[in-house]
Amino acid sequence: MEISTLATYHCLAFVWYFFVAYSITHIKTEERPSEVFLYGGQWKYLTVLNLVLQAVFYGVSFLADMLRLIKKLRCAKCVISSRDLLFSVLAFPVSTFVCISFWTLYSYNRELVYPRSLDRVIPFWLNHAMHTAVLPFALLEILALPHRYPAKRKGLILLGFVAFLYISWVLWIYSVTGEWVYPLFALFSPPGLAAFFAGSLAVIVSFYNFGEFLNRMIWGQSKFCL
C-alpha cells in the first residue's frame, strides 16, 4: 500500500477511534444506570481502555506515515518501532480479546457483561463500534502493512505486565466498592476467579501468537523497511 494511502487510512482510523472514545466517555451523568459507571467511571472497563489504546496506536501510525512522506527517516524509524510494538503486544491481542470474549459472554448471558439497562444509554451503533468493529480494524491493519514483532519473551512479558496492571485495577475497585467491574466475576470463588484470570491471560496470549502467525504468513520475515 502506498504511504499516502496508509497515511489517509491511519488518519481516518484515528479520528474514528477518537470519536468513539469521546462518545462513550461523555455520556451524561443523569443518563447512566445506577449499577454502572460508578467508582472508576468508564475507565474500569477494558472496552473503553481499548478504544483509547487504538486511538493512540493509529495516532502513532499516522505520525510514522507522515515522517516517511517528508523523508524524516531517522525519526520515522523510532516511531515505527513504537508503532509495531504497540500493535503486536497490545492493539491486536486486546482488540481481538475484547471482541471475541464480549460476544461469547453476551450470547451466553448478556447480564454478565452488558446489562440491558445500558441499551437506554448506549446506542446500538456505539455498542458495535466498541465491541465488533475493533476486530476488522485489527485484521485490516495486518493486511495493510507488515509489523515487526519483538522477541517472543519480551512481547509476552510486556503483555503479561499490562494484564497484571488491569487485573490489579479491577481488584482495587472491588476492594474499595465491594462491587465487581463485571457481574460475571461475582459468580466465582477466589480460586475460581484466579483460574478465570489465568485462563483469560492464556487466551489473550493465544491472540498475540495468532497475530504474529498472520503477520508472518502474509508478509514473511524480510519485508520490513522504511
Side-chain angles (χ1 to χ4, degrees), residues 92-167:
F92 182 84
V94 173
S95 60
T96 306
F97 180 81
V98 165
C99 179
I100 293 179
S101 62
F102 175 82
W103 289 113
T104 298
L105 292 169
Y106 186 98
S107 299
Y108 173 71
N109 182 354
R110 66 169 297 176
E111 295 299 320
L112 297 177
V113 290
Y114 195 83
R116 293 184 185 278
S117 56
L118 287 176
D119 289 342
R120 304 192 309 269
V121 181
I122 300 177
F124 179 79
W125 72 265
L126 186 54
N127 180 21
H128 282 282
M130 295 188 297
H131 297 116
T132 307
V134 291
L135 182 54
F137 266 105
L139 293 173
L140 181 57
E141 180 66 20
I142 284 186
L143 293 172
L145 74 162
H147 297 83
R148 188 182 296 276
Y149 272 65
K152 182 62 67 71
R153 182 179 178 181
K154 177 182 177 181
L156 293 181
I157 287 175
L158 288 173
L159 178 59
F161 178 70
V162 173
F164 171 78
L165 289 179
Y166 180 68
I167 291 172

Side-chain angles (χ1 to χ4, degrees), residues 14-15 25 62 77 109 126 169 190 201:
F14 168 75
V15 171
T25 55
F62 177 63
K77 185 176 181 180
N109 182 354
L126 186 54
W169 175 226
L201 180 59

Side-chain angles (χ1 to χ4, degrees), residues 20-121:
V20 174
Y22 178 87
S23 297
I24 192 64
T25 55
H26 284 75
I27 294 174
K28 294 180 181 178
T29 303
E30 61 270 17
E31 294 178 351
R32 299 174 183 178
S34 58
E35 69 270 25
V36 296
F37 298 158
L38 299 176
Y39 185 87
Q42 293 96 331
W43 306 112
K44 61 186 176 181
Y45 297 111
L46 184 60
T47 294
V48 178
L49 295 175
N50 180 56
L51 294 175
V52 176
L53 168 64
Q54 300 302 321
V56 170
F57 165 70
Y58 283 106
V60 171
S61 297
F62 177 63
L63 175 60
D65 297 334
M66 295 306 297
L67 289 172
R68 293 171 68 190
L69 282 172
I70 63 177
K71 307 300 183 182
K72 298 289 185 179
L73 299 185
R74 182 175 298 181
C75 294
K77 185 176 181 180
C78 179
V79 176
I80 287 172
S81 295
S82 300
R83 177 201 70 189
D84 289 346
L85 189 65
L86 268 174
F87 180 76
S88 60
V89 175
L90 295 176
F92 182 84
V94 173
S95 60
T96 306
F97 180 81
V98 165
C99 179
I100 293 179
S101 62
F102 175 82
W103 289 113
T104 298
L105 292 169
Y106 186 98
S107 299
Y108 173 71
N109 182 354
R110 66 169 297 176
E111 295 299 320
L112 297 177
V113 290
Y114 195 83
R116 293 184 185 278
S117 56
L118 287 176
D119 289 342
R120 304 192 309 269
V121 181

